[in-house]
Amino acid sequence: MSFVLGVVIGVLVGVSLIVGFVKSENYRSKCRSELATTIAAFARMTLEDSRKIFTPEQHPSWVVFSSQQKLNWLNSHLEKIWPFVDEAASELVRSSVEPILEQYRPMILASLKFSKFTLGTVPPQFTGISILEGESEGITMELEMNWDGNPSIILDIMTYVGVALPVQVKNIGFTGIFRLIFRPLVDEFPCFGAVCYSLRKKKKLDFMLKVVGGDMTAIPGISDAIEGTIRDAIEDSITWPVRKIIPILPGDYSDLELKPTGVLEVKLVQAKELTNKDLIGKSDPFAELYVRPLRDRMKKSKTINNELNPIWNEHFEFVVEDPLTQHLVVKIYDDEGLQASELIGCAHVRLNELEPGKVKDVWLKLVKDLEIQRDQKNRGQVHLELLYCPYGMKNGFSNPFVDNLSLTSLEKVFKSGAEGKEQNGGEINRRKDVIVRGVLSVTVISADDLAPTDLMGKADPYVVVSMKKTETKNKTRVVPESLNPAWNQTFDFVVEDALHDMLILEVWDHDTFGKDYMGRCILTLTRVLMEGEYKETFELDGAKSGKLNLHLKWAPQPIYRDS
């Protein structure tokens, strides 16, 4: 809770600083024109400096001005206007932050609000600035802020059982990056129509937390409840891609508001070689996934008991607001029952690495921390299928029987507004789910570089081909004494729900008195559904070496069911 509360204070400080420039009545009346002149001059200065440093051919997409001397004048201006910013802060916090805290307030609390909020006498210091190129209609600036302040901040917490917990926060040390967007550029002073601000990144944070006249441990679970509320409030109010808009000149600036741009489809396929967190038995892994860490937008998989190589094959959808900067986070935990779950490892994928409308199949290495990746310990890997579909884009996978039906989400069954008749003759819209049913033809062509299992350095391999949901199995013939066997055998499977089934191929060594495991491949049917047919070589999991050459073909036979 201490960390999150500190983040709140840091965020509020940054917001108060930026918005106080134009929201404080006293400051507006005394030096708003000076501020506008300063910002416009600063924007021109930084762009002119960048042109002096780089020729047009050398101009990078990200120009960084880290010299403290270039920011001394800005810090000097801030010190002069700081009393006005401090004055504007209290009104700003109560009007903009408290409604969001109330929105996410847990049921255990009767109220959650700030009773006192002053920033003190020490202003923040700007330590770095960056200008983001690429926008012709505006200027995007990022300011790194460092603040070791002496604020007086009290958060009043009241429970339904009558316990009041005034929480005092002091001795704050905060470092973060705030993004300012000046847009659109106009030919009227001060040369831009509006300012957008957002907390682009949270960095270092130190502070002291003191409960005045109460004990936070008096009520079990209250600390976690408050922490979750504050986290959601920060993410939902100020953390990028959320942004606040301050009109400078009259006009319509709705195009600057945060808007969803598309949907990220994620199939959590499996994980392998997970670290065992249990002293007895094996870990019970589950996954948590999110693009934005809001409680109502985080997804959780089912738990696979006693397994270090779990297979989930679960699908999740996420709303995307800014594919250029957002990323998908995956965290794998060991379920400890009534106790807190233990983190096994985490990974992330930047959405700007995805090609819109095209499925990306990835194995991600799990690490201990996404920010600080110092340890080289093997924590396992997680297997994902990713598809980013911008709004308005069709991915081309169509229902072959109905022209106006299309699959807009690979892991979401077709939906159509099919017209039906009520018994009284009235028209109704009946939604139907299309089950992706068909015949999957699997040709096991050959294998390469299998690991030997016999004393003579050979093996007698064969492949067991099965569907996970129906457990239907077929087996190739045995190829004696070969590490590069060729089978060229085809097996047909009737698949009732291809969007949620998996193909499993296991390679075994045939012995007279038993068999030896040589590795496996686990495949979803996503690619064959998209492409209809393909040939590919797959590495064997659980083996020292070996690859399997396959040819997959799909013949669809969609059927319908009422939902």
Side-chain angles (χ1 to χ4, degrees), residues 268 271 284-290 298-304 312 314 316 329-334 345 382 384:
L268 174 66
D284 306 315
F286 69 90
E288 186 177 77
L289 305 92
Y290 60 85
M298 300 173 74
K299 310 294 183 182
K300 181 180 176 182
S301 75
K302 61 179 179 287
T303 298
I304 308 295
W312 287 287
E314 293 188 60
F316 305 98
V329 175
V330 184
K331 295 184 177 180
I332 309 297
Y333 292 90
D334 176 26
V382 60
L384 304 174

Side-chain angles (χ1 to χ4, degrees), residues 24 26-27 77-89 119-123:
S24 170
N26 289 340
Y27 179 69
H77 273 284
L78 176 59
E79 186 173 353
K80 294 178 182 178
I81 68 173
W82 182 247
F84 304 107
V85 177
D86 186 17
E87 180 182 346
L119 300 178
T121 59
V122 179

Side-chain angles (χ1 to χ4, degrees), residues 137 179 512:
E137 299 181 356
R179 172 170 287 189
T512 303

